């Protein structure tokens, strides 16, 4: 059995047991789980290997690419701006970004984007890696894009466009790209180890991703799902160690706000704890009314491509989804990553939770679900 490091309060011993079992029952390499309850850290555990090539162990502060957990960070920033009165989620995006309001996108709101209902899950324009890293070429491509369906009549996961579209709104409102504004407004004041755009000084200490044996591959390059995930092939997936793959420091260092976050378990759990209860004696980031707005269901059921994963979506967040990701209750909200990483908060139970790992088993695999179930049992016991 893999030796675990860290601690779990006696009341949350079942979480430690579940974390340990993950290493015996799944092909874990390195992983960590952190839980806050009532603004206090009650679980902080890590184990295994951060870099399979060298055997470097996972540490308390180890960060790892967490893919679409980035959407939770961006969504929290958007809700903060709305809470401050600087952004109306139900106003047309064109109010803040006039050049966006053309080619059938005039009525699209931030709420539609947050709920994956805007009709722009992918771009027609094929951009190079360098153009994506430069930000502005993506913004121009979004401006020229026509919706694939009439906005707000259907939904489909908006992948990378989610982050760039909402991120440009954040930039228009604050003057900063979303990764920079997040660090200034939230990450730096709270000392959170979570970034959209990993600093160069953090690159060498990150955990390196590996693919689990038998992990399902992507469909062909022309398939819409593949185009959504890879931005028309500019980003490699899978193929983690290739140039422009998800172990490439050049990719991790750019602002890729739909899926490019790098974080520790403590960083993500601390973010959600700060949102729902406050930490270190600070007031909570999101007011109860803001959470109520965020957890109102916006999308569920079959997406535009015809798939139904069982997910339920609020405004920017995955909600309690018994058929996909069971959480604690109706006020749970979070987001997960392509490798199985997951983070969420719940202000009814006062919980901030995060699980991160570098062995990529699958989107929505059972490792985090087992840990969430253990947290639920500890709270009910």
């Amino acid at each position: 059995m893999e030796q675990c490091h860290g601690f779990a309060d006696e009341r949350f011993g079942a979480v430690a047991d579940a974390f340990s079992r993950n290493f015996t029952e799944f092909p874990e390499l390195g992983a960590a789980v952190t839980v806050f309850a009532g603004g206090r850290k009650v679980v902080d555990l890590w184990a295994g290997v951060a870099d399979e090539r060298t055997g470097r162990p996972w540490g308390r502060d180890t960060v790892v690419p967490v893919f679409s957990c980035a959407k939770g960070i961006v969504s929290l920033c958007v809700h903060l701006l709305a809470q401050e009165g600087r952004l109306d989620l139900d106003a047309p995006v064109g109010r803040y970004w006039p050049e966006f309001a053309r080619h059938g996108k005039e009525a699209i709101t931030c709420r539609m984007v947050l709920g994956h209902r805007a009709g722009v899950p992918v771009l027609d324009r094929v951009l190079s890696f360098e153009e994506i890293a430069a930000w502005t070429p993506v913004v121009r491509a979004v401006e020229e894009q026509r919706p694939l369906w009439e906005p707000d009549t259907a939904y489909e996961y908006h992948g990378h466009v989610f982050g760039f579209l909402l991120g440009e709104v954040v930039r228009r409102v604050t003057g900063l790209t979303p990764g920079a504004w997040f660090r200034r407004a939230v990450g730096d004041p709270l000392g959170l180890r979570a970034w959209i755009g990993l600093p160069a000084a953090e690159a060498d200490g990150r955990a390196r991703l590996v693919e689990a044996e038998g992990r399902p591959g992507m469909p062909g390059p022309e398939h819409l799902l593949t185009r959504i995930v890879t931005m028309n092939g500019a980003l490699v997936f899978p193929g983690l160690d290739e140039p422009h793959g998800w172990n490439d420091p050049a990719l991790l260092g750019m602002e890729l706000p739909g899926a490019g976050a790098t974080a520790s378990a403590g960083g993500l759990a601390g973010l959600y704890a700060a949102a729902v209860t406050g930490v270190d004696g600070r007031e909570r980031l999101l007011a109860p009314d803001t959470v109520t707005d965020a957890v109102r269901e916006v999308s569920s059921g079959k997406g535009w491509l015809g798939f139904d994963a069982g997910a339920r979506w609020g405004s920017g967040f995955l909600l309690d989804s018994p058929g996909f990701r069971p959480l604690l209750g109706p006020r749970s909200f979070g987001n997960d990553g392509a490798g199985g990483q997951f983070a969420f908060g719940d202000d009814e139970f006062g919980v901030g939770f995060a699980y991160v790992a570098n062995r990529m088993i699958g989107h929505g695999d059972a490792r985090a679900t087992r840990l969430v179930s253990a947290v639920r049992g500890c709270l009910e016991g």
Side-chain angles (χ1 to χ4, degrees), residues 1-2 17-31 212-213 325 339-340 355 357-362 364-371:
M1 181 177 293
E2 186 69 38
D17 293 340
F19 183 68
S20 181
R21 284 198 305 273
N22 275 354
F23 276 86
T24 61
E25 298 174 13
F26 293 95
E28 288 280 39
L29 180 60
E213 186 176 349
R325 180 71 81 186
Y355 162 80
N358 59 348
R359 177 86 76 187
M360 296 180 63
I361 293 179
D365 70 69
R367 292 171 294 173
T369 297
R370 284 185 168 193
L371 294 167

Side-chain angles (χ1 to χ4, degrees), residues 141-152:
V142 172
E143 292 171 355
E144 295 302 320
Q145 183 66 37
R146 295 182 180 276
L148 299 189
W149 63 82
E150 183 180 349
D152 209 29

